[in-house]
């Protein structure tokens, strides 16, 4: 019901705004009734003009009421300002098609809270049409055409045509009270879209290594973001669980554990088992022939071979799950084997369209704009990664009915994925204007020597070893700070896991995913600067302020409903605005899938809070006795609002803060 109401309200807003623009345009026309000679016709138009103005004011009032901060959702202030300025810009320059709309937070508080920078670009567009207009004049017209609204206190024009915007403090205070009473609620959705996120994707019979770290962490956070915003999210693990290597593994299994059908084989080290079978495959021609026969019998789905395959997959699944439990990752396995029968259908479909060409026994498909073809059938009749990726894309579009499909795969796969997406469009499977299909690529993890992260012996770093090392180092850090002397053993272990896994995740997510990043335990466990260690300690301190002042949750809840959040001090005002930028940050990440923006915001929020706390007393104590003599409750509420937004930010990043650290 909530989503239906939200969707109805949003559609109603859109309809009302369109009608307002339409009525405004009609009024402008009626203000200049050229070529209207008969006075009777002029009187009729004036009467019509008055009626239109009356209807326009009613609609504006209605829209204003609907956008008041009384609903539970957090308002995206930037988005609301864009709506207001869009209307003013269109009224100021109706001759421009799609005039630029640029509203951003002001970098310097002395110039206001937000800034509209559209006037200069509009002047350039008018100049291209042969009209020379000073940008300041355009800015003045925009300001004159600003509709009545709930959040702008005043505007100022600066420089060549910047419009500085000052927000109403009372309105910002109401938004903060709304957040405190209702919690951190996402903005309403127009419609609840289906999102499929393909991430992690290790290979069966091989251990997860550091290369899987980024896809797993980034993919999980993208899922958490979409889920928080109200989307229907399907998390998919496209594991490598089919192909020639399984014939090799099954043949080796039969030799090593002949009674595997009756007793589950004790394969504790699957990696070693894989290496043994690979060596035999490379060195022993008879074994290789038997391995190929096993592949054929597996693909024919003979029961004994399916059982062997399942045994191998189960050993891997248990190992993968240890990693996912550490990183608090939820994911549905849907490997390459799931798409086997669908691949046949895909090949039939594209052959039926006459798009397949033969090339030395291979069946290939050329996509316009791409020089490399897709190979859909190999010369031996087998399918390829191209075929399985096409089948997966088709299944996600038609069976899952996905509106958004995101592949969290390393940037090295970019060319291949763009080719698959282009083929999907060529086959008419989806329209990019309707369905968003996107590759969220990422760089590689480097060691401190700036080379690919490896062990000293040159092997790939096992992910489980990396996580164990993180646990060891985080415990050392906690003991260095003598936390083992004040925390119970249970609290110490909870803090250890929170710091270890939180720091590993944050170190990844705080870097632009497109770039490579250097993995350094020393840097990620440093409690200075933009690290999880610093933010977790800051969050724990903020949470402790009320506890140390003996203020319980019930008191804070009541205060949220009855106490106005005052924003008179410049640091209170700065913190209040920073807290309310949270929806803007999430909207930006929704558009570009760059999670480091959220990390930067949380760090900014924590440092802005420190400025506030150093300048504004929340709790005043007797200097001799330490007894609390005064509580400034509105400031305590600002502490609570900061902690609430930080907690939700941590949740999206998959970081689990603890009460005591």
């Amino acid at each position: 019901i909530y989503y239906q109401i939200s969707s109805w309200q949003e559609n109603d807003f859109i309809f009302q705004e369109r009608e307002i623009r339409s009525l405004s345009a009609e009024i402008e026309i009626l203000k200049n009734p050229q070529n209207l000679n008969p006075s009777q016709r002029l009187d009729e138009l004036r009467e019509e003009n008055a009626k239109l103005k009356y209807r326009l004011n009613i609609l504006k009032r209605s829209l204003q009421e609907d956008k008041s901060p009384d609903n539970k959702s957090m308002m995206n202030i930037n988005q609301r300002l864009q709506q207001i300025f869009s209307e003013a810009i269109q009224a100021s320059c109706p001759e421009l098609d799609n005039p630029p709309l640029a509203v951003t937070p002001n970098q310097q508080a002395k110039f206001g809270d937000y800034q509209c920078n559209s006037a200069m670009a509009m002047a350039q567009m008018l100049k291209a049409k042969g009209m020379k207009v000073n940008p300041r004049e355009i800015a003045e017209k925009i300001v004159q055409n600003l509709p009545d609204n709930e959040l702008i206190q005043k505007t100022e024009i600066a420089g060549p045509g910047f419009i500085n915007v000052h927000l109403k403090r009372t309105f910002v205070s109401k938004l903060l009270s709304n957040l405190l009473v209702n919690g951190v609620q996402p903005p309403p959705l127009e419609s609840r879209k289906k999102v499929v996120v393909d991430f992690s994707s290790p290979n069966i019979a091989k251990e997860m290594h550091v290369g899987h770290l980024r896809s797993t962490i980034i993919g999980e956070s993208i899922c958490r973001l979409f889920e928080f915003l109200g989307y229907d999210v399907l998390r998919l693990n496209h594991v490598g669980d089919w192909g020639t290597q399984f014939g090799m593994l099954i043949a080796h299994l039969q030799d090593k554990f002949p009674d595997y059908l009756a007793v589950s084989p004790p394969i504790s080290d699957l990696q070693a088992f894989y290496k043994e079978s690979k060596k035999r495959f490379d060195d022993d021609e008879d074994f290789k022939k038997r391995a190929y026969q096993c592949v054929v019998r597996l693909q024919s789905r003979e029961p004994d071979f399916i059982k062997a395959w399942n045994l191998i997959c189960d050993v891997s699944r248990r190992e993968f799950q240890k990693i996912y439990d550490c990183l608090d990752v939820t994911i549905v396995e849907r490997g390459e084997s799931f798409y086997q029968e669908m691949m046949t259908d895909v090949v039939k479909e594209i052959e039926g369209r006459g798009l397949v060409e033969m090339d030395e026994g291979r069946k290939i498909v050329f996509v316009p704009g791409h020089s490399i073809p897709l190979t859909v059938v190999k010369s031996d009749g087998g399918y390829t990664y191209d075929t399985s990726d096409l089948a997966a894309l088709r299944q996600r579009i038609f069976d899952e009915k996905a509106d958004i499909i995101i592949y969290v795969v390393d940037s090295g796969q970019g060319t291949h994925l763009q080719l698959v997406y282009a083929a999907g469009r060529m086959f008419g499977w989806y329209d990019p204007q309707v369905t968003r299909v996107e590759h969220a690529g990422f760089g590689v993890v480097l060691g401190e020597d700036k080379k690919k992260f490896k062990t000293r012996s040159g092997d790939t770093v096992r992910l489980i070893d990396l996580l164990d090392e993180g646990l060891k180092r985080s415990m050392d850090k906690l003991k260095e700070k003598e936390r083992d002397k004040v925390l119970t053993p249970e609290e110490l272990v909870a803090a250890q896991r929170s710091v270890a896994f939180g720091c590993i995740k944050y170190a990844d997510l705080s870097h632009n995913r497109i770039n490579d990043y250097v993995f350094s335990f020393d840097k990620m466990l440093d409690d200075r600067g933009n690290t999880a260690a610093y933010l977790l300690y800051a969050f724990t301190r903020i949470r402790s302020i009320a506890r140390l002042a003996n203020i319980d949750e019930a008191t804070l809840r009541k205060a949220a409903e009855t106490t106005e959040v005052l924003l008179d001090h410049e640091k209170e005002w700065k913190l209040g605005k920073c807290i309310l930028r949270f929806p803007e940050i999430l909207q930006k990440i929704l558009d570009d899938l760059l999670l480091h923006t959220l990390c930067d915001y949380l760090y900014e929020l924590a440092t802005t809070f420190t400025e506030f706390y150093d300048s504004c007393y929340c709790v005043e104590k007797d200097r001799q006795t330490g007894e609390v003599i005064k509580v400034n409750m509105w400031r305590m509420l600002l502490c609570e609002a900061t902690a609430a937004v930080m907690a939700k930010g941590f949740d999206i990043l998959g970081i689990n803060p603890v009460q005591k650290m």
Side-chain angles (χ1 to χ4, degrees), residues 197-201 212-228 233-236 323-332 406-408 440 442 505 509 595 649-656:
V197 184
D198 177 328
F199 69 104
S200 193
S201 308
H212 295 111
L213 182 68
R214 299 206 75 183
S215 177
T216 305
I217 290 172
I218 295 166
E220 173 69 19
S221 290
I222 287 172
C223 292
R224 285 169 177 254
L225 171 67
F226 276 98
E227 283 166 347
F228 171 64
V233 178
L234 175 61
R235 303 140 164 268
L236 290 184
I323 304 283
Y324 296 142
D325 288 344
C326 286
L327 297 175
D328 196 14
V329 168
T330 308
I331 196 163
V332 175
I406 298 165
Y407 291 73
V408 187
F442 52 84
K505 289 179 181 182
L509 297 169
L595 287 148
F650 284 150
D651 186 53
I652 291 168
L653 297 174
I655 294 170
N656 300 314

Side-chain angles (χ1 to χ4, degrees), residues 598-611:
L598 178 54
C599 300
D600 291 345
Y601 166 76
L602 290 174
Y603 180 61
E604 181 189 345
L605 182 58
T607 53
T608 303
F609 177 85
T610 301
E611 288 177 26

Side-chain angles (χ1 to χ4, degrees), residues 197-328:
V197 184
D198 177 328
F199 69 104
S200 193
S201 308
N203 288 311
I204 295 289
K206 292 184 180 179
E207 287 185 289
M208 289 179 75
H209 55 76
V210 72
H212 295 111
L213 182 68
R214 299 206 75 183
S215 177
T216 305
I217 290 172
I218 295 166
E220 173 69 19
S221 290
I222 287 172
C223 292
R224 285 169 177 254
L225 171 67
F226 276 98
E227 283 166 347
F228 171 64
L229 294 172
Y231 291 82
D232 176 16
V233 178
L234 175 61
R235 303 140 164 268
L236 290 184
N237 200 0
H238 190 84
V239 297
D241 66 350
W242 204 252
T244 309
Q245 74 270 30
F246 285 94
M248 174 181 88
L249 287 162
I250 291 169
H252 190 52
L253 182 73
Q254 289 170 339
D255 292 346
K256 290 265 292 189
F257 305 105
D259 59 347
Y260 73 90
L261 290 171
V263 182
S264 186
I267 311 173
S268 56
D269 189 346
L270 197 58
Q271 189 88 343
F273 188 83
Y274 181 89
K275 284 180 179 175
E276 287 170 18
S277 62
K278 181 74 171 73
K279 188 171 189 319
R280 289 184 70 192
F281 185 83
D282 292 340
D283 299 345
D284 184 339
E285 204 58 40
D286 289 338
F287 179 81
K288 183 182 281 191
K289 283 177 187 171
R290 199 150 51 84
Y292 280 129
Q293 287 167 0
C294 288
V295 173
V296 173
R297 296 179 77 176
L298 174 64
Q299 289 175 342
S300 302
R301 300 195 175 266
E302 289 187 25
D304 288 1
F305 288 82
I306 289 292
K307 176 151 190 183
W309 173 71
N310 274 323
L311 283 170
I312 293 164
C313 290
D314 286 343
V315 174
S316 277
R317 286 188 190 107
R318 287 194 292 273
E319 293 304 310
F320 296 162
Q321 197 55 49
K322 289 176 188 175
I323 304 283
Y324 296 142
D325 288 344
C326 286
L327 297 175
D328 196 14

